[in-house]
Amino acid sequence: MGKLVALVLLGVGLSLVGEMFLAFRERVNASREVEPVEPENCHLIEELGMPNFAPDEPGKIFLMDLNEQNPRAQALEISGGFDKELFNPHGISIFIDKDNTVYLYVVNHPHMKSTVEIFKFEEQQRSLVYLKTIKHELLKSVNDIVVLGPEQFYATRDHYFTNSLLSFFEMILDLRWTYVLFYSPREVKVVAKGFCSANGITVSADQKYVYVADVAAKNIHIMEKHDNWDLTQLKVIQLGTLVDNLTVDPATGDILAGCHPNPMKLLNYNPEDPPGSEVLRIQNVLSEKPRVSTVYANNGSVLQGTSVASVYHGKILIGTVFHKTLYCEL
Ligand SMILES: *[C@@H]1O[C@H](CO)[C@@H](O)[C@H](O)[C@H]1NC(C)=O
Ligand SMILES: *[C@@H]1O[C@H](CO)[C@@H](O)[C@H](O)[C@H]1NC(C)=O
């Protein structure tokens, strides 16, 4: 009898999970057609294609000088005793100090853990010198980072559970247990929480506001930054597409968002029916009615799984999770 009850309960449990999974699919899968939008003169950056999905290769950092006529991507040498074999880079942020020294802060996942590596950029040699590794118990499942001072940064945590079954439940149950963290040598604290999956993070040009993409909730949180580094939410901009990573157009202050219009196709990758790509521009971010327009959209025939786009002097560079990189004139 006890066994029967247990079996019935298990059955009820599984069908609940099934229903939640269907609800989750409904939530993420807009399954819409992607209408193509293509800027002028686009071409793929040869060096940054990843056709072989080489997951076991250590990661690299590339440099592209967008001031050049035909910029090429060049892998940077790393010196200073850094363990390159375990390099598994994720979010990157640059910090330039008073003496114009350029530092690169890189989220790294050695053995699936999360650390932040600090490098100094040597412009003459076009190389990186490893300086130090930051570890902290709150630095878990880190996705992206934005550095605002020497060893002072915000970072996003994109999932709560590291166990893959639990993190699957976290996703379908819509737990909203992820957060934004502030790190400094003196203080480390959670400054914003309640995100389904906090992903890309960046700062406005005047450094007064912080923008956070909640990928699973399909929106961007506009947060005000306070003197004690706390963040308060001003508003949420719904985009109706999975928002991955954000940049700010240095010329206009607009947000550019790399988005996934076909999330289910991204999760169940099939080269015959690939996920599309979408880049949105959000103008007048702080106004009552921000304006959202499409800068780039493709059904996957050219570019699959766009995660980020960056503009500079009328050019746009569009990156993806595991596919290619496209460079266009706007
Ligand atoms: C997100 O975009 C920023 C530019 O704002 C970039 O520096 C960073 O590496 C990107 N992060 C991820 C995880 O792609
Ligand atoms: C994607 O778009 C291309 C060009 O616009 C078109 O030729 C192709 O049939 C489309 N593929 C799908 C799966 O819709």
Side-chain angles (χ1 to χ4, degrees):
M1 188 62 193
K3 263 189 196 149
L4 190 62
V5 172
L7 270 181
V8 170
L9 281 181
L10 182 67
V12 171
L14 286 179
S15 72
L16 262 183
V17 169
E19 255 167 51
M20 278 164 177
F21 185 63
L22 290 180
F24 163 74
R25 273 185 44 166
E26 189 78 3
R27 204 165 65 232
V28 297
N29 196 4
S31 80
R32 63 194 166 85
E33 296 283 319
V34 181
E35 287 297 323
V37 174
E38 179 141 334
E40 284 173 49
N41 290 332
C42 289
H43 68 270
L44 294 165
I45 301 295
E46 233 171 87
E47 301 83 8
L48 297 182
M50 284 196 264
N52 301 321
F53 291 86
D56 299 327
E57 289 271 310
K60 289 184 182 141
I61 305 278
F62 288 82
L63 177 75
M64 258 180 89
D65 185 348
L66 301 189
N67 293 309
E68 287 171 11
Q69 252 316 323
N70 293 303
R72 298 177 68 90
Q74 180 192 359
L76 295 176
E77 288 296 325
I78 301 180
S79 62
F82 180 65
D83 188 347
K84 283 173 263 187
E85 284 306 307
L86 287 181
F87 196 27
N88 187 6
H90 206 166
I92 298 176
S93 183
I94 279 172
F95 175 67
I96 304 176
D97 74 5
K98 294 189 292 294
D99 310 322
N100 268 331
T101 308
V102 178
Y103 298 91
L104 207 64
Y105 285 60
V106 183
V107 175
N108 187 14
H109 299 295
H111 299 299
M112 305 314 278
K113 294 197 172 68
S114 291
T115 59
V116 173
E117 317 289 351
I118 307 181
F119 302 95
K120 188 167 141 216
F121 176 57
E122 298 279 0
E123 190 160 5
Q124 296 305 318
Q125 291 87 345
R126 297 200 155 200
S127 69
L128 296 172
V129 181
Y130 167 68
L131 297 180
K132 73 186 273 188
T133 298
I134 294 179
K135 296 179 185 169
H136 190 275
E137 56 176 15
L138 284 176
L139 282 173
K140 285 204 180 95
S141 308
V142 180
N143 185 301
D144 201 19
I145 177 173
V146 60
V147 182
L148 297 179
E151 291 187 40
Q152 290 170 317
F153 57 81
Y154 292 110
T156 52
R157 175 175 191 164
D158 64 9
H159 57 283
Y160 186 82
F161 292 109
T162 38
N163 172 292
S164 55
L165 184 67
L166 290 178
S167 95
F168 171 75
F169 277 109
E170 171 182 356
M171 188 170 66
I172 66 167
L173 294 177
D174 192 14
L175 289 182
R176 298 177 185 247
W177 284 358
T178 74
Y179 53 69
V180 177
L181 183 87
F182 169 70
Y183 178 95
S184 74
R186 274 206 251 131
E187 188 184 23
V188 185
K189 59 183 177 180
V190 172
V191 286
K193 54 189 176 185
F195 302 92
C196 297
S197 180
N199 202 300
I201 186 165
T202 192
V203 69
S204 63
D206 60 10
Q207 304 228 334
K208 287 186 182 159
Y209 304 96
V210 169
Y211 309 139
V212 182
D214 189 339
V215 55
K218 303 179 178 177
N219 59 32
I220 300 177
H221 292 243
I222 311 296
M223 330 275 297
E224 188 175 352
K225 176 174 146 279
H226 299 281
D227 290 342
N228 64 359
W229 300 97
D230 280 352
L231 297 177
T232 47
Q233 183 169 300
L234 286 184
K235 67 165 141 187
V236 176
I237 302 175
Q238 297 293 342
L239 291 178
T241 179
L242 267 78
V243 200
D244 193 324
N245 196 5
L246 310 174
T247 63
V248 169
D249 182 339
T252 60
D254 301 345
I255 299 179
L256 287 144
C259 305
H260 304 292
N262 312 121
M264 268 346 245
K265 290 189 191 175
L266 190 70
L267 292 176
N268 304 308
Y269 184 74
N270 170 7
E272 302 296 313
D273 183 21
S277 285
E278 189 170 50
V279 176
L280 302 180
R281 177 188 286 275
I282 299 105
Q283 289 166 288
N284 308 326
V285 173
L286 297 172
S287 73
E288 286 278 309
K289 277 211 163 68
R291 181 165 177 269
V292 180
S293 55
T294 306
V295 179
Y296 177 81
N298 176 263
N299 65 7
S301 57
V302 177
L303 206 63
Q304 307 170 5
T306 294
S307 58
V308 67
S310 203
V311 293
Y312 181 73
H313 288 198
K315 304 274 177 50
I316 184 166
L317 185 65
I318 308 174
T320 58
V321 178
F322 50 66
H323 195 232
K324 302 173 180 174
T325 303
L326 193 70
Y327 189 53
C328 311
E329 286 174 25
L330 283 178

